[in-house]
Amino acid sequence: MARTPPPGPVPAEWWERLAARLIEALVFGVFYYILFIALWGIFRTVGMLEMFGGRLPGVFSWSAAGAAYAGYDWWAHSRYGRTFGKAIMRIRLEPRRLPARALLKRATVYPAPLMLMGIPVVNLAAGMLLFGLGLLILIDKPLERGPHDRLAGTRAVKDLR
């Protein structure tokens, strides 16, 4: 039996949240590739490219891009209540004003595991964690909150302004 959502803002649909993350992933993906190419050139020039089986530029690039994305997620939500992907999809976090500490917890659970995606073997666990977070959003009816939302006391809602 499905629960009825509480009165107030309408929860964002799962596909709206996914589209917002994909929009942001495109931008941070470009950042990752630019950083990867630059680091590959630097490591090749100084003779370190073959260290760790040539994986060093990827590890550094994923770590930097993942940290930048987690930092951006925290900053944008604490300042504006949404990221640029959420703004494009016309969704936001509720409640609008949250302590920075709560949003830091949210950003640590998701998307911080992206920092681990460049490390061989660990990237499998990080990918499964992110996939699991997405599944938990799908099965949490009617609010569609993930563990990162529950930890911070937030929910994604439609911004009907």
Side-chain angles (χ1 to χ4, degrees), residues 29-99:
V30 169
F31 170 69
Y32 162 78
Y33 280 110
I34 291 170
L35 187 59
F36 176 82
I37 291 167
L39 287 174
W40 184 84
I42 291 168
F43 289 146
R44 183 171 179 235
T45 302
V46 297
M48 292 176 53
L49 186 61
E50 295 307 316
M51 287 182 71
F52 301 105
R55 294 187 178 107
L56 206 52
V59 169
F60 279 122
S61 300
W62 267 110
S63 297
Y69 187 38
Y72 167 74
D73 190 82
W74 170 77
W75 175 81
H77 284 120
S78 43
R79 183 154 178 129
Y80 304 110
R82 61 185 178 182
T83 57
F84 67 86
K86 283 185 177 77
I88 292 170
M89 294 306 299
R90 300 190 65 198
I91 59 178
R92 63 177 168 78
L93 284 187
E94 181 70 24
R96 290 179 190 234
R97 297 286 177 216
L98 281 168

Side-chain angles (χ1 to χ4, degrees), residues 134-146:
L135 282 180
L136 290 172
I137 291 170
L138 285 175
I139 63 174
D140 181 48
K141 298 295 181 192
L143 298 178
E144 297 184 358
R145 291 173 25 167

Side-chain angles (χ1 to χ4, degrees), residues 70-71 73-74 78 99-110 112 151-152:
D73 190 82
W74 170 77
S78 43
R101 186 181 189 117
L103 292 172
L104 184 59
K105 288 179 192 176
R106 186 180 191 280
T108 302
V109 173
Y110 187 84
L151 186 64

